[in-house]
Amino acid sequence: MLCTVANGGPEEIDAAARAATEAFEDWRDTPGTERKRLLHRVADLIEEHGDEIALLETCDTGQPIRFMSKAASRAAENFRFFADRSESASDGLALPTAGHLNYTLRQPIGPVGIITPWNTPFMLSTWKMAPALAAGCTVVHKPAEWSPVTAMRLAELVHEAGVPPGVVNVVTGIGETTGRALTEHPGIKAVGFVGDTRTGRAIMRQGADTLKRVHFELGGKNPVVVFADADLDRALDATVFMIYSLNGERCTSGSRVLVERTVYDDFAGRLAERVKRIRLGNPFDPATELGPLIHPLHLEKVLGYVSAGQEEGATLIAGGACPENPGSGNYFEATLFGDAGRSMRIAREEVFGPFLTAIPFDTEAEALDIANDVDYGLAAYLWTSDVTRAHDFARRLEAGMVWVNSENVRHLPTPFGGMKSSGIGRDGGDYSFDFYMETKNIDIALARHPVPKLGKG
Ligand code: NAD
């Protein structure tokens, strides 16, 4: 056991929502320049405590330190990016028409709830919180019960930076009680949620009575489509990275690799060699590439998919088991299944572990069909040297984000989010402000136009 964390109930949620409501008026009216200064100060503190944050995150989640050592810089970047947009967040449009000037402006929606999952919790908390604060909203944050530690550290740093009390509040606890109370609270105007698709559905129901605005970043079963004409060495590197980094506990992981049949055997063979060499071990060892999964229940879920793959007739090419001397962690080998059919569970459902399913295809049309034939639509990766095919295929992929000849390389002004069961709404750049702010239209008459007269006989 690492530590004991409070299980906040509806009373604590209510206290936090009241604090956020009280703080809202002042924070909303704080000049953008001042919000910018404070949010940059938060970023400074995150960077100053980068090593500590990396250690806490590795302790709490089992994520290898080689990846968590970058968690603080990614998080600080989120704060800096939105800090710089604080001053322009309320900007609108001028929409003149005959005799009238219409203009829009944006105003923060009010106190918002932020609910985050256990994968890369620190980075994700900042990804949701920074735009809310830059917009002028106050926040009640409910982190995941399996990884609450860095959320509390973040709140401490936010307060140390000088952000006024009540602007950021954290309540730890269980999703079905604490999280539920947050989504039902009438003082909370919107809920930014990152997590499982089923939980998203529950939150939508829970928020219905108070007409909560919701923003959902949900699960994925993201395809990596590899055509024979691609740079196969680079495609191989990216495929391995996008499923076995971050313990495979990553919403944008490329968890299905669709490979053109003419190069399938060669590609799958090279993939297997790499997968077998992935270094599984103590997450604090900088050489470790794959750490233990976050929780015994999650390990059980992932192992269930090994059985499902075998029962459905896919070929287990690498991994698939816990190592012999696992120590006390939830260690699970990097796993590769091949020759999978599109209807198998391992080809359709989100495993959320270091678990890759390889599927051969014959034609471009078949590849597109398989890629789109799942409930999810978060990210997709496409490898080809044919520029016409790249544009056409990318346009027809049912995914909110498509990377062509690249792994996931984020650029913060771009929209991040999914289609279908992968989400509602987009984050990043100005898109985040669409969620955290109300757009208001103001119409000013520019001349004394004739107003229709009733009741004059
Ligand atoms: P989860 O849905 O089980 O939990 C997420 C959060 O929701 C936790 O804080 C949990 O306590 C809370 N919660 C659970 N039930 C709730 C309820 N009824 N009301 C309110 N809150 C409730 O998800 P998880 O297992 O922690 O995270 C993994 C999932 O998150 C995966 O599906 C992954 O793809 C997804 N994810 C998506 C993105 C994205 O950007 N699309 C990013 C990261 C993770």
mmCIF file of all heavy atoms in Angstrom, residues 115-119 124 142-145 173-176 179-180 183 193-197 199 202-203 206 217-220 251 350 352 378 416 422, ligand 1:
data_model
loop_
_atom_site.group_PDB
_atom_site.id
_atom_site.type_symbol
_atom_site.label_atom_id
_atom_site.label_comp_id
_atom_site.label_asym_id
_atom_site.label_seq_id
_atom_site.Cartn_x
_atom_site.Cartn_y
_atom_site.Cartn_z
ATOM 1 N N ILE A 115 -13.374 15.113 -14.308
ATOM 2 C CA ILE A 115 -13.243 13.732 -13.819
ATOM 3 C C ILE A 115 -12.223 13.035 -14.709
ATOM 4 O O ILE A 115 -12.379 13.001 -15.934
ATOM 5 C CB ILE A 115 -14.605 13.008 -13.858
ATOM 6 C CG1 ILE A 115 -15.623 13.759 -12.994
ATOM 7 C CG2 ILE A 115 -14.465 11.568 -13.389
ATOM 8 C CD1 ILE A 115 -17.019 13.150 -12.966
ATOM 9 N N THR A 116 -11.175 12.508 -14.097
ATOM 10 C CA THR A 116 -10.064 11.963 -14.890
ATOM 11 C C THR A 116 -9.822 10.486 -14.584
ATOM 12 O O THR A 116 -10.161 10.000 -13.501
ATOM 13 C CB THR A 116 -8.777 12.781 -14.622
ATOM 14 O OG1 THR A 116 -8.629 12.943 -13.208
ATOM 15 C CG2 THR A 116 -8.838 14.133 -15.291
ATOM 16 N N PRO A 117 -9.194 9.767 -15.538
ATOM 17 C CA PRO A 117 -8.926 8.337 -15.360
ATOM 18 C C PRO A 117 -7.533 8.106 -14.766
ATOM 19 O O PRO A 117 -6.821 9.065 -14.454
ATOM 20 C CB PRO A 117 -8.985 7.830 -16.804
ATOM 21 C CG PRO A 117 -8.425 8.954 -17.597
ATOM 22 C CD PRO A 117 -8.795 10.223 -16.878
ATOM 23 N N TRP A 118 -7.141 6.856 -14.674
ATOM 24 C CA TRP A 118 -5.891 6.515 -13.988
ATOM 25 C C TRP A 118 -4.694 6.419 -14.929
ATOM 26 O O TRP A 118 -3.585 6.195 -14.474
ATOM 27 C CB TRP A 118 -6.046 5.204 -13.207
ATOM 28 C CG TRP A 118 -6.710 4.095 -13.970
ATOM 29 C CD1 TRP A 118 -8.015 3.708 -13.853
ATOM 30 C CD2 TRP A 118 -6.134 3.236 -14.965
ATOM 31 N NE1 TRP A 118 -8.292 2.667 -14.709
ATOM 32 C CE2 TRP A 118 -7.144 2.356 -15.404
ATOM 33 C CE3 TRP A 118 -4.859 3.110 -15.522
ATOM 34 C CZ2 TRP A 118 -6.936 1.385 -16.375
ATOM 35 C CZ3 TRP A 118 -4.641 2.154 -16.489
ATOM 36 C CH2 TRP A 118 -5.667 1.298 -16.900
ATOM 37 N N ASN A 119 -4.921 6.565 -16.221
ATOM 38 C CA ASN A 119 -3.741 6.473 -17.098
ATOM 39 C C ASN A 119 -3.149 7.876 -17.281
ATOM 40 O O ASN A 119 -3.889 8.826 -17.534
ATOM 41 C CB ASN A 119 -4.103 5.830 -18.440
ATOM 42 C CG ASN A 119 -5.025 6.681 -19.274
ATOM 43 O OD1 ASN A 119 -6.031 7.151 -18.788
ATOM 44 N ND2 ASN A 119 -4.676 6.891 -20.517
ATOM 45 N N LEU A 124 -3.024 14.301 -17.729
ATOM 46 C CA LEU A 124 -4.429 14.480 -18.126
ATOM 47 C C LEU A 124 -5.152 15.501 -17.256
ATOM 48 O O LEU A 124 -5.997 16.258 -17.741
ATOM 49 C CB LEU A 124 -5.174 13.137 -18.064
ATOM 50 C CG LEU A 124 -4.979 12.236 -19.283
ATOM 51 C CD1 LEU A 124 -5.642 10.886 -19.047
ATOM 52 C CD2 LEU A 124 -5.554 12.879 -20.528
ATOM 53 N N LYS A 142 -12.233 15.487 -9.661
ATOM 54 C CA LYS A 142 -12.344 14.145 -9.036
ATOM 55 C C LYS A 142 -11.407 13.223 -9.802
ATOM 56 O O LYS A 142 -11.729 12.752 -10.894
ATOM 57 C CB LYS A 142 -13.797 13.662 -9.156
ATOM 58 C CG LYS A 142 -14.275 12.723 -8.066
ATOM 59 C CD LYS A 142 -13.533 11.442 -7.926
ATOM 60 C CE LYS A 142 -13.931 10.372 -8.932
ATOM 61 N NZ LYS A 142 -13.025 9.196 -8.871
ATOM 62 N N PRO A 143 -10.210 12.950 -9.235
ATOM 63 C CA PRO A 143 -9.293 12.045 -9.932
ATOM 64 C C PRO A 143 -9.716 10.584 -9.756
ATOM 65 O O PRO A 143 -10.577 10.276 -8.924
ATOM 66 C CB PRO A 143 -7.949 12.306 -9.234
ATOM 67 C CG PRO A 143 -8.311 12.794 -7.868
ATOM 68 C CD PRO A 143 -9.656 13.472 -7.970
ATOM 69 N N ALA A 144 -9.096 9.696 -10.513
ATOM 70 C CA ALA A 144 -9.438 8.269 -10.442
ATOM 71 C C ALA A 144 -9.019 7.677 -9.096
ATOM 72 O O ALA A 144 -7.993 8.055 -8.533
ATOM 73 C CB ALA A 144 -8.744 7.524 -11.573
ATOM 74 N N GLU A 145 -9.822 6.735 -8.610
ATOM 75 C CA GLU A 145 -9.537 6.143 -7.301
ATOM 76 C C GLU A 145 -8.238 5.335 -7.292
ATOM 77 O O GLU A 145 -7.618 5.160 -6.258
ATOM 78 C CB GLU A 145 -10.708 5.282 -6.804
ATOM 79 C CG GLU A 145 -11.343 4.349 -7.817
ATOM 80 C CD GLU A 145 -12.483 5.013 -8.595
ATOM 81 O OE1 GLU A 145 -12.223 6.059 -9.221
ATOM 82 O OE2 GLU A 145 -13.606 4.482 -8.589
ATOM 83 N N GLY A 173 -12.178 10.066 -4.266
ATOM 84 C CA GLY A 173 -13.237 9.124 -3.899
ATOM 85 C C GLY A 173 -13.595 8.213 -5.057
ATOM 86 O O GLY A 173 -12.939 8.212 -6.108
ATOM 87 N N ILE A 174 -14.653 7.469 -4.857
ATOM 88 C CA ILE A 174 -15.078 6.422 -5.790
ATOM 89 C C ILE A 174 -15.985 7.020 -6.873
ATOM 90 O O ILE A 174 -16.808 7.892 -6.592
ATOM 91 C CB ILE A 174 -15.846 5.319 -5.009
ATOM 92 C CG1 ILE A 174 -14.995 4.780 -3.847
ATOM 93 C CG2 ILE A 174 -16.294 4.189 -5.928
ATOM 94 C CD1 ILE A 174 -13.720 4.093 -4.254
ATOM 95 N N GLY A 175 -15.842 6.505 -8.082
ATOM 96 C CA GLY A 175 -16.598 7.040 -9.208
ATOM 97 C C GLY A 175 -18.099 7.029 -8.997
ATOM 98 O O GLY A 175 -18.790 8.038 -9.188
ATOM 99 N N GLU A 176 -18.610 5.866 -8.593
ATOM 100 C CA GLU A 176 -20.070 5.700 -8.525
ATOM 101 C C GLU A 176 -20.713 6.537 -7.415
ATOM 102 O O GLU A 176 -21.930 6.707 -7.394
ATOM 103 C CB GLU A 176 -20.453 4.218 -8.332
ATOM 104 C CG GLU A 176 -20.226 3.345 -9.563
ATOM 105 C CD GLU A 176 -18.745 3.061 -9.810
ATOM 106 O OE1 GLU A 176 -17.916 3.330 -8.908
ATOM 107 O OE2 GLU A 176 -18.416 2.591 -10.915
ATOM 108 N N GLY A 179 -17.902 10.663 -7.766
ATOM 109 C CA GLY A 179 -18.014 11.160 -9.142
ATOM 110 C C GLY A 179 -19.454 11.456 -9.484
ATOM 111 O O GLY A 179 -19.789 12.487 -10.083
ATOM 112 N N ARG A 180 -20.321 10.549 -9.081
ATOM 113 C CA ARG A 180 -21.748 10.725 -9.365
ATOM 114 C C ARG A 180 -22.274 12.012 -8.735
ATOM 115 O O ARG A 180 -22.989 12.791 -9.372
ATOM 116 C CB ARG A 180 -22.512 9.507 -8.821
ATOM 117 C CG ARG A 180 -23.961 9.569 -9.126
ATOM 118 C CD ARG A 180 -24.764 8.418 -8.526
ATOM 119 N NE ARG A 180 -26.103 8.551 -9.026
ATOM 120 C CZ ARG A 180 -26.680 7.726 -9.875
ATOM 121 N NH1 ARG A 180 -26.053 6.660 -10.277
ATOM 122 N NH2 ARG A 180 -27.886 7.958 -10.320
ATOM 123 N N THR A 183 -21.370 14.986 -10.755
ATOM 124 C CA THR A 183 -22.107 15.153 -12.020
ATOM 125 C C THR A 183 -23.567 15.549 -11.786
ATOM 126 O O THR A 183 -24.225 16.048 -12.694
ATOM 127 C CB THR A 183 -22.084 13.852 -12.854
ATOM 128 O OG1 THR A 183 -22.696 12.816 -12.086
ATOM 129 C CG2 THR A 183 -20.672 13.455 -13.230
ATOM 130 N N PHE A 193 -14.990 15.095 -18.891
ATOM 131 C CA PHE A 193 -14.725 13.729 -18.432
ATOM 132 C C PHE A 193 -13.770 13.017 -19.375
ATOM 133 O O PHE A 193 -13.931 13.068 -20.600
ATOM 134 C CB PHE A 193 -16.047 12.954 -18.356
ATOM 135 C CG PHE A 193 -15.859 11.468 -18.150
ATOM 136 C CD1 PHE A 193 -15.417 10.977 -16.929
ATOM 137 C CD2 PHE A 193 -16.106 10.568 -19.183
ATOM 138 C CE1 PHE A 193 -15.223 9.609 -16.743
ATOM 139 C CE2 PHE A 193 -15.924 9.205 -19.007
ATOM 140 C CZ PHE A 193 -15.481 8.727 -17.777
ATOM 141 N N VAL A 194 -12.799 12.328 -18.799
ATOM 142 C CA VAL A 194 -11.916 11.449 -19.571
ATOM 143 C C VAL A 194 -12.013 10.077 -18.930
ATOM 144 O O VAL A 194 -11.780 9.938 -17.722
ATOM 145 C CB VAL A 194 -10.449 11.933 -19.529
ATOM 146 C CG1 VAL A 194 -9.591 11.069 -20.457
ATOM 147 C CG2 VAL A 194 -10.340 13.398 -19.914
ATOM 148 N N GLY A 195 -12.367 9.074 -19.712
ATOM 149 C CA GLY A 195 -12.474 7.737 -19.141
ATOM 150 C C GLY A 195 -13.174 6.783 -20.084
ATOM 151 O O GLY A 195 -13.227 6.999 -21.302
ATOM 152 N N ASP A 196 -13.732 5.754 -19.490
ATOM 153 C CA ASP A 196 -14.340 4.660 -20.237
ATOM 154 C C ASP A 196 -15.674 5.083 -20.883
ATOM 155 O O ASP A 196 -16.415 5.900 -20.313
ATOM 156 C CB ASP A 196 -14.590 3.526 -19.228
ATOM 157 C CG ASP A 196 -14.917 2.231 -19.898
ATOM 158 O OD1 ASP A 196 -13.994 1.483 -20.204
ATOM 159 O OD2 ASP A 196 -16.133 1.968 -20.124
ATOM 160 N N THR A 197 -15.971 4.512 -22.021
ATOM 161 C CA THR A 197 -17.206 4.859 -22.742
ATOM 162 C C THR A 197 -18.454 4.571 -21.899
ATOM 163 O O THR A 197 -19.395 5.371 -21.870
ATOM 164 C CB THR A 197 -17.247 4.076 -24.076
ATOM 165 O OG1 THR A 197 -16.103 4.475 -24.848
ATOM 166 C CG2 THR A 197 -18.509 4.365 -24.860
ATOM 167 N N THR A 199 -18.734 4.644 -18.701
ATOM 168 C CA THR A 199 -18.865 5.674 -17.666
ATOM 169 C C THR A 199 -19.406 6.963 -18.280
ATOM 170 O O THR A 199 -20.213 7.660 -17.665
ATOM 171 C CB THR A 199 -17.503 5.936 -16.991
ATOM 172 O OG1 THR A 199 -16.906 4.692 -16.677
ATOM 173 C CG2 THR A 199 -17.652 6.759 -15.747
ATOM 174 N N ALA A 202 -23.049 6.750 -18.381
ATOM 175 C CA ALA A 202 -23.635 6.927 -17.043
ATOM 176 C C ALA A 202 -23.644 8.409 -16.666
ATOM 177 O O ALA A 202 -24.635 8.926 -16.143
ATOM 178 C CB ALA A 202 -22.850 6.114 -16.016
ATOM 179 N N ILE A 203 -22.570 9.106 -16.977
ATOM 180 C CA ILE A 203 -22.472 10.527 -16.605
ATOM 181 C C ILE A 203 -23.520 11.340 -17.365
ATOM 182 O O ILE A 203 -24.123 12.274 -16.821
ATOM 183 C CB ILE A 203 -21.034 11.040 -16.853
ATOM 184 C CG1 ILE A 203 -20.116 10.418 -15.797
ATOM 185 C CG2 ILE A 203 -20.964 12.559 -16.837
ATOM 186 C CD1 ILE A 203 -18.659 10.758 -15.950
ATOM 187 N N GLN A 206 -26.660 10.801 -15.494
ATOM 188 C CA GLN A 206 -26.618 11.455 -14.188
ATOM 189 C C GLN A 206 -26.753 12.972 -14.306
ATOM 190 O O GLN A 206 -27.308 13.628 -13.420
ATOM 191 C CB GLN A 206 -25.284 11.114 -13.486
ATOM 192 C CG GLN A 206 -25.166 9.661 -13.101
ATOM 193 C CD GLN A 206 -23.737 9.199 -12.828
ATOM 194 O OE1 GLN A 206 -23.486 8.015 -12.852
ATOM 195 N NE2 GLN A 206 -22.807 10.109 -12.589
ATOM 196 N N GLU A 217 -13.930 12.476 -23.420
ATOM 197 C CA GLU A 217 -12.792 11.837 -24.102
ATOM 198 C C GLU A 217 -12.784 10.387 -23.642
ATOM 199 O O GLU A 217 -12.412 10.104 -22.498
ATOM 200 C CB GLU A 217 -11.479 12.548 -23.757
ATOM 201 C CG GLU A 217 -11.428 13.964 -24.315
ATOM 202 C CD GLU A 217 -10.142 14.715 -24.009
ATOM 203 O OE1 GLU A 217 -9.150 14.064 -23.608
ATOM 204 O OE2 GLU A 217 -10.121 15.945 -24.166
ATOM 205 N N LEU A 218 -13.201 9.483 -24.525
ATOM 206 C CA LEU A 218 -13.493 8.105 -24.112
ATOM 207 C C LEU A 218 -12.507 7.103 -24.727
ATOM 208 O O LEU A 218 -11.413 7.461 -25.122
ATOM 209 C CB LEU A 218 -14.945 7.778 -24.484
ATOM 210 C CG LEU A 218 -15.977 8.816 -23.992
ATOM 211 C CD1 LEU A 218 -17.374 8.496 -24.520
ATOM 212 C CD2 LEU A 218 -15.998 8.905 -22.472
ATOM 213 N N GLY A 219 -12.930 5.878 -24.814
ATOM 214 C CA GLY A 219 -12.028 4.805 -25.224
ATOM 215 C C GLY A 219 -11.729 4.782 -26.715
ATOM 216 O O GLY A 219 -12.264 5.562 -27.500
ATOM 217 N N GLY A 220 -10.864 3.846 -27.104
ATOM 218 C CA GLY A 220 -10.509 3.715 -28.516
ATOM 219 C C GLY A 220 -10.080 2.301 -28.858
ATOM 220 O O GLY A 220 -9.724 1.501 -27.973
ATOM 221 N N CYS A 251 -5.151 6.072 -24.397
ATOM 222 C CA CYS A 251 -6.374 6.083 -25.208
ATOM 223 C C CYS A 251 -6.064 6.096 -26.703
ATOM 224 O O CYS A 251 -6.820 5.553 -27.498
ATOM 225 C CB CYS A 251 -7.241 7.280 -24.841
ATOM 226 S SG CYS A 251 -6.386 8.844 -25.033
ATOM 227 N N GLU A 350 -11.573 -2.570 -26.465
ATOM 228 C CA GLU A 350 -10.388 -1.898 -25.931
ATOM 229 C C GLU A 350 -9.808 -2.733 -24.792
ATOM 230 O O GLU A 350 -10.459 -2.947 -23.775
ATOM 231 C CB GLU A 350 -10.770 -0.504 -25.410
ATOM 232 C CG GLU A 350 -9.575 0.294 -24.955
ATOM 233 C CD GLU A 350 -9.955 1.646 -24.356
ATOM 234 O OE1 GLU A 350 -10.875 1.694 -23.522
ATOM 235 O OE2 GLU A 350 -9.331 2.655 -24.722
ATOM 236 N N PHE A 352 -6.632 -1.990 -23.425
ATOM 237 C CA PHE A 352 -5.976 -0.964 -22.607
ATOM 238 C C PHE A 352 -4.752 -1.506 -21.874
ATOM 239 O O PHE A 352 -4.480 -1.184 -20.727
ATOM 240 C CB PHE A 352 -6.967 -0.356 -21.608
ATOM 241 C CG PHE A 352 -6.765 1.121 -21.428
ATOM 242 C CD1 PHE A 352 -6.774 1.978 -22.506
ATOM 243 C CD2 PHE A 352 -6.564 1.667 -20.160
ATOM 244 C CE1 PHE A 352 -6.577 3.342 -22.350
ATOM 245 C CE2 PHE A 352 -6.371 3.033 -19.985
ATOM 246 C CZ PHE A 352 -6.377 3.864 -21.083
ATOM 247 N N LEU A 378 -11.514 7.117 -32.235
ATOM 248 C CA LEU A 378 -10.668 8.145 -31.622
ATOM 249 C C LEU A 378 -9.509 8.539 -32.556
ATOM 250 O O LEU A 378 -9.519 9.617 -33.134
ATOM 251 C CB LEU A 378 -10.137 7.644 -30.266
ATOM 252 C CG LEU A 378 -9.336 8.661 -29.447
ATOM 253 C CD1 LEU A 378 -10.166 9.883 -29.119
ATOM 254 C CD2 LEU A 378 -8.820 8.030 -28.156
ATOM 255 N N PHE A 416 -8.333 17.760 -30.389
ATOM 256 C CA PHE A 416 -8.104 16.414 -29.861
ATOM 257 C C PHE A 416 -9.446 15.869 -29.403
ATOM 258 O O PHE A 416 -10.136 16.471 -28.592
ATOM 259 C CB PHE A 416 -7.143 16.482 -28.664
ATOM 260 C CG PHE A 416 -6.767 15.132 -28.108
ATOM 261 C CD1 PHE A 416 -5.572 14.535 -28.451
ATOM 262 C CD2 PHE A 416 -7.636 14.460 -27.255
ATOM 263 C CE1 PHE A 416 -5.237 13.285 -27.950
ATOM 264 C CE2 PHE A 416 -7.307 13.209 -26.752
ATOM 265 C CZ PHE A 416 -6.102 12.629 -27.092
ATOM 266 N N SER A 422 -16.134 7.182 -29.057
ATOM 267 C CA SER A 422 -14.879 7.663 -28.471
ATOM 268 C C SER A 422 -14.979 9.061 -27.894
ATOM 269 O O SER A 422 -13.992 9.559 -27.347
ATOM 270 C CB SER A 422 -13.751 7.628 -29.514
ATOM 271 O OG SER A 422 -13.370 6.302 -29.752
HETATM 272 P P1 NAD B 1 -13.349 4.974 -15.822
HETATM 273 O O1 NAD B 1 -14.404 5.475 -16.712
HETATM 274 O O2 NAD B 1 -13.549 3.716 -15.081
HETATM 275 O O3 NAD B 1 -12.980 6.058 -14.714
HETATM 276 C C1 NAD B 1 -12.676 7.400 -15.072
HETATM 277 C C2 NAD B 1 -13.112 8.316 -13.954
HETATM 278 O O4 NAD B 1 -14.538 8.299 -13.871
HETATM 279 C C3 NAD B 1 -12.583 7.922 -12.582
HETATM 280 O O5 NAD B 1 -12.232 9.100 -11.883
HETATM 281 C C4 NAD B 1 -13.786 7.264 -11.949
HETATM 282 O O6 NAD B 1 -13.767 7.335 -10.540
HETATM 283 C C5 NAD B 1 -14.921 8.094 -12.519
HETATM 284 N N1 NAD B 1 -16.237 7.450 -12.516
HETATM 285 C C6 NAD B 1 -16.546 6.138 -12.615
HETATM 286 N N2 NAD B 1 -17.874 5.961 -12.570
HETATM 287 C C7 NAD B 1 -18.436 7.189 -12.462
HETATM 288 C C8 NAD B 1 -19.774 7.665 -12.387
HETATM 289 N N3 NAD B 1 -20.820 6.838 -12.423
HETATM 290 N N4 NAD B 1 -19.982 8.996 -12.302
HETATM 291 C C9 NAD B 1 -18.942 9.862 -12.286
HETATM 292 N N5 NAD B 1 -17.636 9.460 -12.332
HETATM 293 C C10 NAD B 1 -17.399 8.137 -12.426
HETATM 294 O O7 NAD B 1 -12.031 4.916 -16.730
HETATM 295 P P2 NAD B 1 -10.600 4.363 -16.330
HETATM 296 O O8 NAD B 1 -10.661 2.879 -16.338
HETATM 297 O O9 NAD B 1 -10.119 5.090 -15.119
HETATM 298 O O10 NAD B 1 -9.725 4.898 -17.562
HETATM 299 C C11 NAD B 1 -9.487 4.197 -18.702
HETATM 300 C C12 NAD B 1 -10.385 4.666 -19.837
HETATM 301 O O11 NAD B 1 -10.157 6.049 -20.116
HETATM 302 C C13 NAD B 1 -10.090 3.961 -21.154
HETATM 303 O O12 NAD B 1 -11.284 3.607 -21.783
HETATM 304 C C14 NAD B 1 -9.347 5.014 -21.969
HETATM 305 O O13 NAD B 1 -9.421 4.843 -23.362
HETATM 306 C C15 NAD B 1 -10.036 6.250 -21.522
HETATM 307 N N6 NAD B 1 -9.223 7.424 -21.837
HETATM 308 C C16 NAD B 1 -9.605 8.228 -22.877
HETATM 309 C C17 NAD B 1 -8.819 9.332 -23.233
HETATM 310 C C18 NAD B 1 -9.194 10.208 -24.409
HETATM 311 O O14 NAD B 1 -8.625 11.283 -24.529
HETATM 312 N N7 NAD B 1 -10.107 9.809 -25.263
HETATM 313 C C19 NAD B 1 -7.659 9.618 -22.509
HETATM 314 C C20 NAD B 1 -7.293 8.773 -21.462
HETATM 315 C C21 NAD B 1 -8.097 7.683 -21.129
#
